[in-house]
Amino acid sequence: KQILKIALPIAAAILVPQINYITNNIFLGGLGEQSLAIAGITGVYYLIYAVIGFGLNSGLQALISRRAGENRPEEIGALFKQGAIIAMALSVLGILLTYLISPYIFSHTLKNEGNVEIAIKFLQIRIWGLPFLYLYQMRNALLVGTNNSRYLIAGTLAETIINIVLDYGLIYGKLGLPQMGFNGAAVASIIAEATGVAVIFIVMHVKGISNQLHLFGKYTYDAARAKLILVQSSPVILQYVISVGSWEFFYILVEHHGDRPLAISNVMRNMFGLFGCVSWAFASTANSMVSNVIGQGLQHRVMELIWKIVQISVGISFCIFLLLNFAPNILLRVYGQGDSFIAEAIPVVRVVSLALLLMAVANIFLNAVLGTGNTSVNLVIEVAAIIIYSVYAYTILEKLNYSITIGWTAEWVYWVTIFIPAFLYMRSGKWKKKRI
C-alpha cells in the first residue's frame, strides 16, 4: 500500500510530458506522415535535455529522501534551493546549445533536407520550455522525497488540459488562435509547462509545504551543497543523456529507411513513453524508498522492498502487454494514418510490448542502485548497455538493412544488459558501506 501511495502520483506526474508528446503527435499526424516522422526526431532531441533535469531530479530526490529518513527538514529546503539554481543554469546552457549546435548535427545526419529545416525551426521554439520543465522536475523531487507525491496530480492535470486545448488551436488555427502548423505544437507545450509549474507552486504554498521545508528566503549559491548535489547527480545525468542520445542515434538510423519507418518508430516511442510511465514510477519509488530505508538503518530489508516493487510493476506491465498484443489497432488508429501504416506497425508493437515487460524489472533494479547512492555504478552499467545497444542497432539497421521490426529488438538487448549487473550488484551487498 505504501509503495502504491508513492508510485501512483509519480506515474501521473511522469505521464504529463508523455501525454503532451502524444497529444502533439496525434494532432501532427493530421498534417501528414512527414510531420509525424519529424516529430520523432525533435521529440527525442528535446527528451535529451529533459532527462538532464530528470537526472538532477533523481540525485536530488535521493538526497532529500535520505535527509527525510534522518529527520532533518531544514536541510531539505537548503538542498532544494541549490538544485533549483543548478537547474536554471543548465536550462540556459540547453537553449544556447540548441541554437548553436543542433543545425550542424541535423544537417550532417539526416538525409532529407526538408526534414532538417522543419526540425531546426521547431526545436528553436520548443527549447524555451526547458526552464519551466526543470522547475517542475525539481518540485517533483521535493514532493516525492518528502512523501508528498499526492500533490503532483494538480500540476499534472493543469498542464495536460492546457496542452491539449492549445495543440488543437495552434496547430490547426482553431478557437480563434493563429494557425502555426508544426510549430504550434512547440508553443502549446511551452505554455502548458509554464502552467504546470505555476499550479504546483500555488498548491505547495496553500498546503504549507513551502514554510515547513524552509523554501522561502534568499536563493544564494552554496558551494558545498551544490557540490554534493552535482557529485550525486552528475553520473545519473550523464547516464540519462547517453541513454536518450543513443535513442536519437537509433532514430537517425531509422530516418535513413524513409519517412514511414520513422513515423512508425515515433508512434512506438509514444507507446513506450505512455506505458513505460508505470515502470518509471516504480523505479523512482525504488530510488526514494531504498534511500529512505537505508537512512533509517534498515539495510537488511532493502532486497525485500525491491522484490515487492518488482512484483507490482510486472503485474501492471503484464496487463499492458496483453492490451498491446490483443488490441493494437485501437491504439494505432488515433494517429490518423491509413490501414497500410497500421499493418506495418503491428509487428513492431509486439516487439515493444515485450521490451516493456523487461523494463518493468530492469529499471527498478537500476534505480535501486541509484537509491544506495552509488551513482557511479549506475553510470558504468548504463554505458556498457548503451555501447552494446548502439552496436546492435547500427549492425541491424545500417549494415544489414533489416526492417525496423528487427531493429526494435535492440530494446530487448538493452534492458537485459541493464538488469544483469544491477541485480548482481544489489544482491552482493557491497552498497551497504556507502554513505552520502
Side-chain angles (χ1 to χ4, degrees):
K1 182 179 177 181
Q2 188 176 3
I3 291 168
L4 289 171
K5 184 179 178 181
I6 296 173
L8 293 180
I10 298 173
I14 296 175
L15 197 61
V16 170
Q18 300 305 327
I19 289 177
N20 289 347
Y21 184 67
I22 290 169
T23 302
N24 290 348
N25 280 272
I26 290 172
F27 285 120
L28 289 173
L31 299 179
E33 199 168 274
Q34 183 189 31
S35 293
L36 187 59
I38 299 171
I41 295 287
T42 56
V44 177
Y45 177 89
Y46 186 73
L47 185 61
I48 293 173
Y49 290 98
V51 296
I52 291 174
F54 192 70
L56 180 64
N57 170 47
S58 296
L60 183 62
Q61 181 180 310
L63 287 169
I64 288 173
S65 296
R66 188 64 56 89
R67 299 299 176 260
E70 296 167 350
N71 195 26
R72 297 168 61 189
E74 73 288 342
E75 186 64 18
I76 292 173
L79 286 169
F80 173 78
K81 291 176 183 178
Q82 294 309 304
I85 292 171
I86 295 169
M88 289 302 95
L90 289 174
S91 69
V92 171
L93 180 61
I95 292 169
L96 291 174
L97 288 175
T98 296
Y99 273 83
L100 297 175
I101 296 177
S102 67
Y104 177 84
I105 294 173
F106 288 126
S107 62
H108 286 77
T109 56
L110 301 183
K111 286 188 175 181
N112 187 324
E113 291 184 5
N115 290 352
V116 173
E117 183 179 354
I118 296 172
I120 292 172
K121 287 182 179 178
F122 177 89
L123 287 171
Q124 288 180 345
I125 299 172
R126 182 70 184 94
I127 199 65
W128 288 97
L130 207 56
F132 303 115
L133 178 63
Y134 282 177
L135 281 177
Y136 190 88
Q137 290 172 331
M138 291 302 99
R139 288 284 169 170
N140 288 358
L142 184 67
L143 291 172
V144 173
T146 58
N147 198 22
N148 285 299
S149 56
R150 61 191 180 278
Y151 296 126
L152 295 174
I153 297 175
T156 298
L157 289 174
E159 185 170 346
T160 303
I161 292 169
I162 291 295
N163 190 71
I164 291 172
V165 172
L166 292 182
D167 262 343
Y168 175 70
L170 292 171
I171 291 174
Y172 298 130
K174 304 292 184 179
L175 307 176
L177 297 173
Q179 183 177 358
M180 300 180 67
F182 193 80
N183 291 338
V187 176
S189 294
I190 293 171
I191 296 173
E193 285 167 347
T195 302
V197 172
V199 170
I200 204 68
F201 266 74
I202 293 169
V203 169
M204 290 185 66
H205 177 70
V206 170
K207 295 296 181 179
I209 297 173
S210 298
N211 284 328
Q212 179 186 349
L213 299 177
H214 308 282
L215 300 184
F216 294 113
K218 293 182 179 179
Y219 275 65
T220 54
Y221 179 71
D222 184 322
R225 289 190 177 95
K227 181 180 178 181
L228 176 62
I229 294 169
L230 288 172
V231 167
Q232 184 70 15
S233 300
S234 54
V236 189
I237 293 171
L238 185 56
Q239 168 196 331
Y240 285 143
V241 169
I242 293 171
S243 177
V244 180
S246 68
W247 212 345
E248 183 78 337
F249 173 67
F250 178 84
Y251 270 67
I252 289 170
L253 295 177
V254 171
E255 193 263 354
H256 297 169
H257 289 241
D259 279 348
R260 171 158 291 186
L262 183 57
I264 291 173
S265 291
N266 185 25
V267 172
M268 295 308 107
R269 149 84 180 100
N270 287 190
M271 290 188 178
F272 214 102
L274 177 64
F275 296 114
C277 286
V278 174
S279 293
W280 283 111
F282 284 108
S284 183
T285 301
N287 173 4
S288 183
M289 292 188 75
V290 165
S291 185
N292 190 284
V293 166
I294 293 173
Q296 296 179 54
L298 300 174
Q299 286 86 342
H300 62 286
R301 303 204 66 184
V302 166
M303 288 302 293
E304 174 192 352
L305 169 66
I306 293 171
W307 282 117
K308 282 184 179 292
I309 298 173
V310 166
Q311 289 170 10
I312 301 171
S313 177
V314 171
I316 297 175
S317 295
F318 184 70
C319 295
I320 293 169
F321 173 84
L322 294 177
L323 172 66
L324 289 175
N325 280 277
F326 286 103
N329 290 30
I330 297 174
L331 298 167
L332 292 169
R333 202 165 293 280
V334 299
Y335 291 90
Q337 307 305 305
D339 291 339
S340 62
F341 179 95
I342 293 173
E344 288 184 41
I346 287 176
V348 191
V349 172
R350 305 200 189 286
V351 172
V352 168
S353 68
L354 182 56
L356 286 167
L357 274 181
L358 297 172
M359 177 184 174
V361 179
N363 206 15
I364 288 170
F365 273 93
L366 185 67
N367 276 265
V369 176
L370 180 60
T372 68
N374 285 279
T375 52
S376 58
V377 175
N378 279 69
L379 180 59
V380 170
I381 294 172
E382 187 73 55
V383 169
I386 286 304
I387 291 172
I388 295 170
Y389 168 90
S390 299
V391 170
Y392 179 88
Y394 181 78
T395 303
I396 293 295
L397 291 170
E398 197 77 4
K399 289 296 184 181
L400 300 178
N401 201 34
Y402 285 165
S403 69
I404 60 168
T405 302
I406 305 299
W408 271 89
T409 61
E411 288 294 325
W412 299 354
V413 174
Y414 173 77
W415 289 112
V416 169
T417 309
I418 287 286
F419 170 72
I420 293 173
F423 170 76
L424 293 175
Y425 180 78
M426 291 305 300
R427 193 178 68 169
S428 72
K430 294 179 180 179
W431 46 270
K432 292 181 180 178
K433 297 178 182 178
K434 178 71 176 179
R435 297 289 180 269
I436 61 174

